[in-house]
Protein backbone atom coordinates (compact mmCIF):
# COMPACT_ATOMS: atom_id res chain seq x y z
CA UNK A 1 0.00 0.00 0.00
CA UNK A 2 1.31 3.45 -0.87
CA UNK A 3 2.20 5.94 1.84
CA UNK A 4 -0.85 7.65 3.32
CA UNK A 5 -1.13 11.32 4.19
CA UNK A 6 -3.11 10.65 7.37
CA UNK A 7 -5.94 8.59 8.88
CA UNK A 8 -8.43 10.32 6.58
CA UNK A 9 -6.71 9.00 3.44
CA UNK A 10 -8.64 5.74 2.97
CA UNK A 11 -9.27 5.48 -0.76
CA UNK A 12 -8.58 1.93 -1.94
CA UNK A 13 -8.24 0.39 1.52
CA UNK A 14 -10.02 -2.91 2.16
CA UNK A 15 -13.27 -2.46 4.06
CA UNK A 16 -16.43 -4.30 4.94
CA UNK A 17 -20.05 -3.82 3.83
CA UNK A 18 -21.43 -0.29 3.62
CA UNK A 19 -23.99 0.54 6.31
CA UNK A 20 -26.71 2.09 4.18
CA UNK A 21 -29.32 2.89 6.83
CA UNK A 22 -30.63 6.42 6.42
CA UNK A 23 -29.83 8.79 9.27
CA UNK A 24 -31.74 12.01 9.78
CA UNK A 25 -29.23 14.41 11.37
CA UNK A 26 -29.89 15.17 15.01
CA UNK A 27 -30.24 18.79 16.08
CA UNK A 28 -26.75 18.91 17.60
CA UNK A 29 -25.31 17.71 14.30
CA UNK A 30 -27.19 20.34 12.32
CA UNK A 31 -26.09 22.98 14.81
CA UNK A 32 -22.42 21.97 14.64
CA UNK A 33 -22.63 22.11 10.86
CA UNK A 34 -24.33 25.52 10.95
CA UNK A 35 -21.77 27.02 13.34
CA UNK A 36 -18.92 25.78 11.17
CA UNK A 37 -20.50 27.32 8.06
CA UNK A 38 -21.20 30.65 9.75
CA UNK A 39 -17.69 30.98 11.20
CA UNK A 40 -16.20 30.44 7.74
CA UNK A 41 -18.66 32.59 5.79
CA UNK A 42 -17.81 35.71 3.82
CA UNK A 43 -18.54 37.95 6.81
CA UNK A 44 -16.41 36.30 9.50
CA UNK A 45 -13.79 34.26 7.64
CA UNK A 46 -12.24 32.88 10.81
CA UNK A 47 -10.93 29.84 8.94
CA UNK A 48 -11.18 27.95 5.67
CA UNK A 49 -12.43 24.47 4.87
CA UNK A 50 -8.85 23.38 4.28
CA UNK A 51 -7.90 24.52 7.78
CA UNK A 52 -10.70 22.56 9.42
CA UNK A 53 -9.70 19.50 7.43
CA UNK A 54 -6.06 19.93 8.43
CA UNK A 55 -6.96 19.87 12.14
CA UNK A 56 -8.98 16.68 11.70
CA UNK A 57 -6.25 15.05 9.64
CA UNK A 58 -3.78 15.58 12.49
CA UNK A 59 -5.81 13.29 14.75
CA UNK A 60 -4.35 9.84 15.37
CA UNK A 61 -5.98 7.04 13.41
CA UNK A 62 -7.84 5.51 16.36
CA UNK A 63 -9.39 8.84 17.39
CA UNK A 64 -10.25 9.82 13.83
CA UNK A 65 -12.02 6.55 13.15
CA UNK A 66 -14.01 6.43 16.40
CA UNK A 67 -15.15 10.05 16.73
CA UNK A 68 -18.56 10.70 15.16
CA UNK A 69 -18.40 12.86 12.05
CA UNK A 70 -19.78 16.07 13.56
CA UNK A 71 -17.75 15.67 16.74
CA UNK A 72 -14.67 15.85 14.51
CA UNK A 73 -16.03 19.12 13.14
CA UNK A 74 -16.53 20.46 16.67
CA UNK A 75 -12.93 19.49 17.47
CA UNK A 76 -11.76 21.27 14.32
CA UNK A 77 -13.59 24.58 14.65
CA UNK A 78 -13.02 24.89 18.40
CA UNK A 79 -9.29 24.22 17.97
CA UNK A 80 -9.07 26.87 15.26
CA UNK A 81 -10.99 29.39 17.36
CA UNK A 82 -8.46 28.83 20.16
CA UNK A 83 -5.48 29.06 17.81
CA UNK A 84 -6.74 32.29 16.26
CA UNK A 85 -7.60 33.94 19.57
CA UNK A 86 -11.33 34.21 18.93
CA UNK A 87 -11.98 32.27 22.13
CA UNK A 88 -9.68 30.97 24.85
CA UNK A 89 -9.58 27.44 26.17
CA UNK A 90 -9.96 28.81 29.70
CA UNK A 91 -13.24 30.57 28.99
CA UNK A 92 -14.67 27.55 27.20
CA UNK A 93 -13.65 25.26 30.06
CA UNK A 94 -15.30 27.70 32.49
CA UNK A 95 -18.44 27.60 30.35
CA UNK A 96 -18.37 23.79 30.35
CA UNK A 97 -18.20 23.83 34.15
CA UNK A 98 -21.21 26.17 34.29
CA UNK A 99 -23.20 23.90 31.98
CA UNK A 100 -22.40 20.93 34.20
CA UNK A 101 -23.52 22.80 37.32
CA UNK A 102 -26.80 23.59 35.59
CA UNK A 103 -27.22 19.94 34.57
CA UNK A 104 -27.08 20.72 30.86
CA UNK A 105 -24.44 18.06 30.30
CA UNK A 106 -27.15 15.45 30.70
CA UNK A 107 -29.04 14.22 27.68
CA UNK A 108 -32.49 15.83 27.46
CA UNK A 109 -35.56 13.85 28.43
CA UNK A 110 -38.26 12.79 26.01
CA UNK A 111 -40.44 15.63 27.31
CA UNK A 112 -37.70 18.15 26.62
CA UNK A 113 -37.44 16.87 23.07
CA UNK A 114 -40.61 18.78 22.23
CA UNK A 115 -39.37 22.07 23.66
CA UNK A 116 -38.21 24.22 20.74
CA UNK A 117 -37.37 27.41 22.60
CA UNK A 118 -34.20 28.97 21.22
CA UNK A 119 -32.44 28.70 24.55
CA UNK A 120 -33.12 24.99 24.95
CA UNK A 121 -30.60 22.34 24.00
CA UNK A 122 -32.58 20.15 21.64
CA UNK A 123 -32.78 16.40 22.11
CA UNK A 124 -30.34 14.13 20.35
CA UNK A 125 -31.27 11.41 17.93
CA UNK A 126 -31.92 8.12 19.77
CA UNK A 127 -29.54 6.06 17.65
CA UNK A 128 -26.72 8.45 18.55
CA UNK A 129 -27.16 8.38 22.30
CA UNK A 130 -28.65 5.01 23.11
CA UNK A 131 -27.35 4.01 26.53
CA UNK A 132 -25.78 7.42 27.17
CA UNK A 133 -26.86 9.67 29.99
CA UNK A 134 -24.40 12.53 29.53
CA UNK A 135 -23.05 14.46 26.59
CA UNK A 136 -19.69 13.19 25.33
CA UNK A 137 -16.88 15.70 25.95
CA UNK A 138 -16.82 17.15 22.43
CA UNK A 139 -20.58 17.65 22.30
CA UNK A 140 -20.35 19.51 25.60
CA UNK A 141 -17.52 21.56 24.14
CA UNK A 142 -19.67 22.38 21.13
CA UNK A 143 -22.42 23.62 23.43
CA UNK A 144 -19.95 25.71 25.43
CA UNK A 145 -18.40 27.20 22.28
CA UNK A 146 -21.84 28.12 21.02
CA UNK A 147 -22.69 29.89 24.28
CA UNK A 148 -19.41 31.84 24.32
CA UNK A 149 -19.74 32.88 20.66
CA UNK A 150 -23.24 34.18 21.36
CA UNK A 151 -22.13 35.94 24.54
CA UNK A 152 -19.33 37.68 22.64
CA UNK A 153 -21.65 38.73 19.82
CA UNK A 154 -19.83 36.67 17.20
CA UNK A 155 -23.00 34.72 16.41
CA UNK A 156 -26.66 34.98 17.36
CA UNK A 157 -29.15 32.23 18.03
CA UNK A 158 -31.23 33.58 15.18
CA UNK A 159 -28.31 33.22 12.74
CA UNK A 160 -27.71 29.64 13.80
CA UNK A 161 -31.39 28.78 13.46
CA UNK A 162 -31.56 30.46 10.05
CA UNK A 163 -28.51 28.55 8.79
CA UNK A 164 -30.03 25.26 9.94
CA UNK A 165 -33.29 26.13 8.17
CA UNK A 166 -31.39 27.12 5.03
CA UNK A 167 -29.67 23.75 4.89
CA UNK A 168 -32.93 21.95 5.74
CA UNK A 169 -34.37 23.57 2.61
CA UNK A 170 -31.65 22.11 0.41
CA UNK A 171 -32.16 18.61 -0.91
CA UNK A 172 -32.43 16.24 -3.84
CA UNK A 173 -35.44 18.11 -5.23
CA UNK A 174 -33.04 20.83 -6.39
CA UNK A 175 -30.67 18.48 -8.16
CA UNK A 176 -33.64 16.65 -9.68
CA UNK A 177 -34.82 19.92 -11.25
CA UNK A 178 -31.42 20.35 -12.86
CA UNK A 179 -31.41 16.81 -14.23
CA UNK A 180 -34.97 17.09 -15.54
CA UNK A 181 -34.16 20.34 -17.34
CA UNK A 182 -31.02 18.76 -18.85
CA UNK A 183 -33.12 15.82 -20.09
CA UNK A 184 -35.75 18.10 -21.59
CA UNK A 185 -33.62 20.96 -22.96
CA UNK A 186 -30.49 20.19 -25.03
CA UNK A 187 -29.36 23.80 -24.81
CA UNK A 188 -29.51 23.71 -21.02
CA UNK A 189 -27.65 20.40 -21.05
CA UNK A 190 -24.83 22.04 -23.00
CA UNK A 191 -24.72 24.97 -20.58
CA UNK A 192 -24.73 22.57 -17.62
CA UNK A 193 -21.79 20.72 -19.13
CA UNK A 194 -19.89 23.99 -19.56
CA UNK A 195 -20.66 25.60 -16.17
CA UNK A 196 -22.70 23.79 -13.53
CA UNK A 197 -23.04 26.76 -11.20
CA UNK A 198 -24.28 29.08 -13.93
CA UNK A 199 -26.79 26.49 -15.15
CA UNK A 200 -28.09 25.96 -11.60
CA UNK A 201 -28.46 29.73 -11.23
CA UNK A 202 -30.76 29.72 -14.27
CA UNK A 203 -33.18 27.71 -12.13
CA UNK A 204 -32.85 30.06 -9.18
CA UNK A 205 -30.51 27.76 -7.26
CA UNK A 206 -27.91 29.83 -5.43
CA UNK A 207 -24.39 28.82 -6.47
CA UNK A 208 -21.85 27.59 -3.95
CA UNK A 209 -18.30 28.82 -3.56
CA UNK A 210 -17.15 25.55 -5.11
CA UNK A 211 -17.35 24.48 -8.75
CA UNK A 212 -20.25 22.21 -9.73
CA UNK A 213 -19.36 19.72 -12.47
CA UNK A 214 -22.05 17.65 -14.17
CA UNK A 215 -21.24 14.08 -15.18
CA UNK A 216 -23.42 12.59 -17.90
CA UNK A 217 -24.17 8.88 -17.93
CA UNK A 218 -24.56 7.14 -21.29
CA UNK A 219 -25.37 3.60 -22.38
CA UNK A 220 -21.60 2.97 -22.39
CA UNK A 221 -20.49 5.01 -19.35
CA UNK A 222 -21.66 5.14 -15.74
CA UNK A 223 -20.29 7.76 -13.33
CA UNK A 224 -19.85 7.26 -9.59
CA UNK A 225 -18.95 9.99 -7.09
CA UNK A 226 -16.98 9.63 -3.86
CA UNK A 227 -14.79 11.74 -1.61
CA UNK A 228 -11.98 9.53 -0.38
CA UNK A 229 -10.41 12.15 1.91
CA UNK A 230 -13.47 13.47 3.73
CA UNK A 231 -17.04 14.16 2.60
CA UNK A 232 -17.02 16.82 -0.15
CA UNK A 233 -20.53 16.78 -1.58
CA UNK A 234 -22.78 19.09 -3.69
CA UNK A 235 -24.78 20.38 -0.75
CA UNK A 236 -26.14 23.29 -2.79
CA UNK A 237 -28.16 20.92 -4.94
CA UNK A 238 -28.46 17.75 -2.82
CA UNK A 239 -28.48 18.98 0.79
CA UNK A 240 -26.50 17.27 3.53
CA UNK A 241 -24.66 14.08 2.53
CA UNK A 242 -26.08 10.74 3.70
CA UNK A 243 -24.23 8.93 6.46
CA UNK A 244 -23.07 6.15 4.15
CA UNK A 245 -21.39 8.65 1.80
CA UNK A 246 -19.22 9.83 4.71
CA UNK A 247 -18.47 6.31 5.91
CA UNK A 248 -15.00 4.78 5.78
CA UNK A 249 -16.39 1.73 3.96
CA UNK A 250 -17.84 3.73 1.06
CA UNK A 251 -14.86 6.06 0.81
CA UNK A 252 -12.46 3.12 0.84
CA UNK A 253 -14.23 0.75 -1.51
CA UNK A 254 -15.73 3.04 -4.16
CA UNK A 255 -12.36 3.46 -5.86
CA UNK A 256 -11.20 -0.10 -5.21
CA UNK A 257 -14.22 -2.13 -6.29
CA UNK A 258 -16.90 0.20 -7.69
CA UNK A 259 -18.96 -2.57 -9.31
CA UNK A 260 -19.19 -4.42 -6.02
CA UNK A 261 -20.28 -1.20 -4.31
CA UNK A 262 -22.94 -0.61 -6.96
CA UNK A 263 -24.17 -4.17 -6.52
CA UNK A 264 -24.65 -3.55 -2.78
CA UNK A 265 -26.89 -0.64 -3.72
CA UNK A 266 -28.84 -2.91 -6.06
CA UNK A 267 -27.34 -1.70 -9.35
CA UNK A 268 -25.73 -4.26 -11.65
CA UNK A 269 -24.34 -2.92 -14.91
CA UNK A 270 -23.57 -4.86 -18.10
CA UNK A 271 -19.90 -5.74 -18.60
CA UNK A 272 -19.72 -3.41 -21.59
CA UNK A 273 -20.51 -0.34 -19.49
CA UNK A 274 -17.45 1.50 -18.17
CA UNK A 275 -17.65 2.61 -14.54
CA UNK A 276 -15.76 5.84 -13.98
CA UNK A 277 -15.15 6.97 -10.37
CA UNK A 278 -14.76 10.68 -9.60
CA UNK A 279 -13.08 11.77 -6.36
CA UNK A 280 -14.49 15.08 -5.11
CA UNK A 281 -12.21 17.83 -3.85
CA UNK A 282 -12.51 20.93 -1.70
CA UNK A 283 -12.86 23.00 -4.88
CA UNK A 284 -14.99 20.72 -7.06
CA UNK A 285 -18.32 18.99 -6.54
CA UNK A 286 -19.94 16.50 -8.92
CA UNK A 287 -23.54 15.92 -9.95
CA UNK A 288 -24.36 12.78 -11.93
CA UNK A 289 -26.97 13.19 -14.67
CA UNK A 290 -28.37 9.65 -15.00
CA UNK A 291 -29.68 8.17 -18.21
CA UNK A 292 -33.18 9.31 -19.02
CA UNK A 293 -35.55 6.32 -18.82
CA UNK A 294 -37.22 5.20 -22.01
CA UNK A 295 -40.91 5.91 -22.37
CA UNK A 296 -40.73 9.43 -20.92
CA UNK A 297 -40.94 11.34 -24.18
CA UNK A 298 -43.22 14.35 -23.87
CA UNK A 299 -43.17 14.34 -20.08
CA UNK A 300 -43.13 17.64 -18.21
CA UNK A 301 -40.00 18.61 -16.29
CA UNK A 302 -41.90 18.27 -13.03
CA UNK A 303 -42.87 14.70 -13.88
CA UNK A 304 -39.34 13.88 -15.04
CA UNK A 305 -37.88 15.24 -11.79
CA UNK A 306 -39.92 12.64 -9.91
CA UNK A 307 -37.76 9.93 -11.49
CA UNK A 308 -34.51 11.39 -10.17
CA UNK A 309 -33.26 10.32 -6.73
CA UNK A 310 -30.37 11.53 -4.63
CA UNK A 311 -28.65 8.19 -5.07
CA UNK A 312 -28.94 8.44 -8.87
CA UNK A 313 -27.22 11.84 -8.73
CA UNK A 314 -24.37 10.33 -6.68
CA UNK A 315 -24.19 7.42 -9.09
CA UNK A 316 -25.10 4.46 -6.86
CA UNK A 317 -28.49 4.05 -8.53
CA UNK A 318 -30.18 4.54 -11.89
CA UNK A 319 -33.11 6.85 -12.48
CA UNK A 320 -36.46 5.36 -11.54
CA UNK A 321 -38.41 3.72 -14.33
CA UNK A 322 -41.81 5.24 -15.13
CA UNK A 323 -44.84 3.39 -13.83
Amino acid sequence: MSERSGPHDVGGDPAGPIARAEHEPAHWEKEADAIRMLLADGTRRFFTTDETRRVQEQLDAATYRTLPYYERWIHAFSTLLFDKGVLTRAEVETEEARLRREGRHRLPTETAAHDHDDDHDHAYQPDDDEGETELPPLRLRGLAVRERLIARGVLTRQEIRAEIERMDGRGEHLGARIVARAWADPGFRDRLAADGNAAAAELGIAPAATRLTALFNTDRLHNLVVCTLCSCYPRTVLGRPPAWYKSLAYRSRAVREPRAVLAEFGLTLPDGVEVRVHDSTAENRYLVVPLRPAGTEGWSEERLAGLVSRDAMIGVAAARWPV
Side-chain angles (χ1 to χ4, degrees):
M1 182 169 56
S2 61
E3 183 178 351
R4 299 295 187 183
S5 59
H8 62 292
D9 189 358
V10 299
D13 285 355
I18 298 165
R20 293 170 47 212
E22 293 294 329
H23 170 86
E24 175 61 26
H27 182 82
W28 76 266
E29 295 173 308
K30 293 181 178 182
E31 186 169 83
D33 186 58
I35 290 172
R36 173 181 67 91
M37 297 295 289
L38 290 168
L39 292 174
D41 67 11
T43 301
R44 298 168 184 87
R45 299 180 181 176
F46 288 127
F47 46 71
T48 65
T49 298
D50 283 342
E51 286 179 302
T52 58
R53 287 176 57 179
R54 173 181 54 79
V55 173
Q56 294 181 69
E57 291 161 8
Q58 290 173 341
L59 292 167
D60 63 85
T63 302
Y64 180 89
R65 294 188 178 219
T66 55
L67 276 182
Y69 178 80
Y70 286 105
E71 287 193 29
R72 294 203 309 267
W73 281 114
I74 292 171
H75 165 72
F77 69 63
S78 61
T79 299
L80 288 166
L81 290 174
F82 299 152
D83 290 349
K84 294 172 181 286
V86 180
L87 298 176
T88 67
R89 289 182 184 273
E91 69 176 302
V92 170
E93 289 170 359
T94 298
E95 185 67 26
E96 290 174 356
R98 181 182 73 83
L99 294 171
R100 287 193 187 93
R101 287 196 303 273
E102 295 178 359
R104 292 170 66 185
H105 63 300
R106 300 188 181 91
L107 286 169
T109 64
E110 183 177 354
T111 301
H114 298 92
D115 182 350
H116 292 285
D117 185 87
D118 287 342
D119 291 326
H120 193 274
D121 304 318
H122 296 245
Y124 298 106
Q125 187 161 307
D127 61 1
D128 277 347
D129 54 36
E130 185 176 359
E132 295 179 356
T133 58
E134 296 185 0
L135 298 182
L138 277 170
R139 293 189 206 169
L140 182 62
R141 180 192 292 183
L143 186 58
V145 166
R146 183 195 73 184
E147 294 300 288
R148 293 311 305 155
L149 290 172
I150 291 170
R152 283 174 168 262
V154 176
L155 298 177
T156 67
R157 298 187 194 280
Q158 292 73 24
E159 285 177 312
I160 296 171
R161 183 176 65 246
E163 179 64 20
I164 291 173
E165 292 173 351
R166 185 180 74 87
M167 281 307 305
D168 282 346
R170 300 264 174 101
E172 63 182 286
H173 63 287
L174 298 176
R177 287 180 57 206
I178 295 174
V179 171
R181 177 66 61 87
W183 282 347
D185 183 344
F188 180 82
R189 177 189 175 94
D190 291 342
R191 295 192 297 278
L192 178 62
D195 187 334
N197 282 335
E202 289 184 35
L203 300 182
I205 300 172
T210 53
R211 181 171 59 251
L212 180 65
T213 298
L215 306 169
F216 298 87
N217 287 353
T218 71
D219 57 359
R220 304 288 293 177
L221 172 67
H222 183 90
N223 295 286
L224 177 65
V225 179
V226 67
C227 182
T228 59
L229 294 181
C230 58
S231 59
C232 294
Y233 186 78
R235 287 165 164 248
T236 303
V237 295
L238 294 185
R240 299 181 185 90
W244 58 259
Y245 183 86
K246 301 176 289 186
S247 70
L248 292 174
Y250 181 76
R251 290 163 48 206
S252 301
R253 294 178 54 211
V255 295
R256 181 186 182 95
E257 46 182 358
R259 287 182 180 273
V261 167
L262 293 177
E264 283 188 29
F265 281 83
L267 180 61
T268 301
L269 300 171
D271 291 340
V273 176
E274 175 191 353
V275 178
R276 189 172 297 170
V277 181
H278 303 263
D279 197 353
S280 302
T281 69
E283 295 79 27
N284 195 64
R285 305 290 192 270
Y286 295 108
L287 178 73
V288 175
V289 179
L291 276 173
R292 178 174 177 170
T296 60
E297 295 78 9
W299 282 29
S300 68
E301 289 183 23
E302 181 179 4
R303 192 177 179 192
L304 287 171
L307 302 178
V308 186
S309 68
R310 176 203 66 196
D311 287 3
M313 291 181 282
I314 297 172
V316 295
R320 303 181 183 100
W321 285 96
V323 294

